[in-house]
Amino acid sequence: MNLTLKIWRQKDSKAKGQMVDYKVTEISEHMSFLEMMDVLNEQLVNTGEEPVAFDHDCREGICGMCSMYINGEAHGPDRGVTTCQLHMRMFKDGDTITIEPFRAAAFPVIKDLVVDRMAFERIQQAGGYISVNTSGNTQDANSLPISKHAADEAMDAATCIGCGACVATCKNSSAMLFVGAKVSQYALLPQGQVEAADRVRNMVAQMDLEGFGNCTNTGACEIECPKGISLENIARMNRELMKASI
Amino acid sequence: MSGFFKSSIGRKVAMALSAFFLMFFLLQHFAINLLSVFSADLFNEVSHFMGTNWLIQFALQPVLIFGVVFHFVMGFILEIRNKKAQGVSYAKNNGAANSTWMSRNMIYSGIAILAFIILHFIDFWFPEINVKFIQGDWSGVHEGVEGYRYFHELQEKFVSPIRVGAYVIAFVFLGLHLLHGFTSAFQSMGATAGRKKTLQNIGTAYSIIIPLGFIIIALFHHLNHH
């Protein structure tokens, strides 16, 4: 496949970025999108140009680092995948592909396609944990009965990898799917009940402080989420905050 | 609790509560307007009751005005805050791939409805306030009109095809607004668990039947005016 790539290039966080066109040739349809980016970067290095900076780690679809907005969608046109699991067979020979970093005021660009998602870490630090000492005195897993339904729902929420696709795709740059998932995974389990009220209050307060927008229930985040986190988690967070505020 | 309404989720809940109130108001407004198709006398009687009952005029009417103003002001505030949260715009954004046009354009359908409400206030509400609160005439009758004046006034308003056209366009936008807004309000209240599909079906029915009903009533009076 021969492709034209329109890529956002930005020298550093303070620089003014712009879209730059590149050509790549002989791309295999079996390559992942990141492998295609590797080919481009090899080409750029060989011609003495600065390679395109992009985040990646596991390349197995579980780390959530590859923050790319491809042809107008977070992680590109495929569903339930991160960029590393997006394959070039989703595109056609001769296509022009637009590649941008995730956009949100709370996700400033560090360089090219790399964005700072530390806001998510600070939200997690505000309450995304349970205060239990697990060193040396771990209980048997079945000593605390939990219904299968609750365990499954908590597990579904816990599959959120914090990639930020929800924020990137939301027209309001809202982080409510991420925070809803993190609140839910504890709210559904007995271990999370002790700090439930403080958790939701503190995490929502931090989310607002970071400058994320307000959810208007478009549902775009749920569609673009590589882990299929349900909107129900946002509804549960809303209920949890109402309960904690009364 | 005051801290709750300062949070992003609290604002969503406040928006949803005002939406529920307005949707309920719309339903009763529709029911009364529908009477005008079947019986001019009954429409006159109910309109006179609504227009002269002190509880409705001095307790419910201010709440309604507050609800309308609050919904619009909060809608604009949230839109401005959300625009600020976006930062730099995408060079290419495919919103249609993951969301409906209605959900992405609530602010524009809302502005169209606001424009209609201003027209509606000029047409009906301001003259009504003038007659009752400035001229002090609570009789509900008008010189040269047999019985109460309300049905006659309604018919007069729907003579102009331009006004009827504007009315139809506004109600199409209201339908689009409701197609997203109805279920969205329940989602904001956290009340969608296990009943999302049912709520979506009820919301779709409400969003089509009510605006279409208002349009049919307007066309009915436009075509039947002698």
Side-chain angles (χ1 to χ4, degrees), chain A residues 70-172:
Chain A
I70 301 159
N71 275 354
E73 288 185 75
H75 300 306
D78 209 355
R79 291 285 172 261
V81 295
T82 49
T83 308
C84 66
Q85 302 282 294
L86 174 70
H87 287 85
M88 296 314 293
R89 65 183 80 99
M90 294 296 291
F91 302 92
K92 291 195 299 288
D93 183 36
D95 272 1
T96 298
I97 305 173
T98 307
I99 310 164
E100 298 172 79
F102 281 1
R103 296 288 191 194
F107 284 172
V109 173
I110 297 169
K111 185 179 171 133
D112 296 337
L113 304 172
V114 181
V115 297
D116 179 357
R117 283 167 284 178
M118 282 303 286
F120 271 14
E121 301 302 322
R122 290 187 288 271
I123 293 170
Q124 274 287 76
Q125 286 162 13
Y129 52 82
I130 54 167
S131 302
V132 177
N133 182 1
T134 54
S135 55
N137 54 354
T138 315
Q139 290 183 346
D140 181 84
N142 289 326
S143 64
L144 200 56
I146 298 167
S147 77
K148 176 82 167 72
H149 183 68
D152 285 350
E153 278 197 303
M155 188 62 218
D156 285 347
T159 57
C160 168
I161 52 177
C163 65
C166 48
V167 173
T169 203
C170 176
K171 76 180 191 69
N172 310 318

Side-chain angles (χ1 to χ4, degrees), chain B residues 189-209:
Chain B
M189 294 299 295
T192 45
R195 58 181 88 93
K196 198 166 182 178
K197 196 75 205 154
T198 311
L199 284 170
Q200 274 170 345
N201 290 338
I202 296 170
T204 305
Y206 181 94
S207 312
I208 294 170
I209 293 168

Side-chain angles (χ1 to χ4, degrees), chain B residues 137-210:
Chain B
D137 179 6
W138 290 72
S139 67
V141 296
H142 192 263
E143 209 179 304
V145 178
E146 197 183 322
Y148 288 130
R149 57 185 163 83
Y150 310 104
F151 184 79
H152 176 73
E153 284 175 356
L154 177 82
Q155 280 197 316
E156 286 297 312
K157 293 294 179 194
F158 289 129
V159 169
S160 160
I162 295 168
R163 186 183 273 112
V164 173
Y167 199 89
V168 170
I169 292 167
F171 275 95
V172 169
F173 276 106
L174 178 67
L176 295 172
H177 199 75
L178 287 167
L179 273 170
H180 175 68
F182 188 96
T183 327
S184 178
F186 282 94
Q187 168 76 10
S188 292
M189 294 299 295
T192 45
R195 58 181 88 93
K196 198 166 182 178
K197 196 75 205 154
T198 311
L199 284 170
Q200 274 170 345
N201 290 338
I202 296 170
T204 305
Y206 181 94
S207 312
I208 294 170
I209 293 168
I210 303 295

Side-chain angles (χ1 to χ4, degrees), chain A residues 10-205:
Chain A
Q10 185 173 332
K11 195 166 176 254
D12 55 44
S13 60
K14 291 184 183 69
K16 197 175 180 301
Q18 59 174 347
M19 301 299 290
V20 179
D21 290 4
Y22 298 98
K23 299 266 186 208
V24 282
T25 55
E26 293 176 26
I27 297 296
S28 161
E29 62 175 13
H30 303 301
M31 280 181 181
S32 87
F33 201 86
L34 295 189
E35 284 168 333
M36 184 278 291
M37 292 297 291
D38 292 337
V39 171
L40 169 71
N41 274 347
E42 217 166 292
Q43 192 178 299
L44 291 175
V45 169
N46 287 341
T47 54
E49 287 181 72
E50 178 85 7
V52 178
F54 63 91
D55 259 330
H56 61 101
D57 188 10
C58 72
R59 298 209 178 197
E60 292 175 339
I62 53 172
C63 76
M65 286 305 290
C66 41
S67 53
M68 288 187 203
Y69 210 74
I70 301 159
N71 275 354
E73 288 185 75
H75 300 306
D78 209 355
R79 291 285 172 261
V81 295
T82 49
T83 308
C84 66
Q85 302 282 294
L86 174 70
H87 287 85
M88 296 314 293
R89 65 183 80 99
M90 294 296 291
F91 302 92
K92 291 195 299 288
D93 183 36
D95 272 1
T96 298
I97 305 173
T98 307
I99 310 164
E100 298 172 79
F102 281 1
R103 296 288 191 194
F107 284 172
V109 173
I110 297 169
K111 185 179 171 133
D112 296 337
L113 304 172
V114 181
V115 297
D116 179 357
R117 283 167 284 178
M118 282 303 286
F120 271 14
E121 301 302 322
R122 290 187 288 271
I123 293 170
Q124 274 287 76
Q125 286 162 13
Y129 52 82
I130 54 167
S131 302
V132 177
N133 182 1
T134 54
S135 55
N137 54 354
T138 315
Q139 290 183 346
D140 181 84
N142 289 326
S143 64
L144 200 56
I146 298 167
S147 77
K148 176 82 167 72
H149 183 68
D152 285 350
E153 278 197 303
M155 188 62 218
D156 285 347
T159 57
C160 168
I161 52 177
C163 65
C166 48
V167 173
T169 203
C170 176
K171 76 180 191 69
N172 310 318
S173 301
S174 169
M176 287 198 189
L177 193 68
F178 166 75
V179 184
K182 297 301 170 195
V183 165
S184 287
Q185 75 179 69
Y186 299 111
L188 285 158
L189 300 174
Q191 293 94 326
Q193 299 310 309
V194 180
E195 294 152 305
D198 285 342
R199 175 180 304 111
V200 68
R201 270 199 299 261
N202 293 340
M203 290 183 84
V204 169

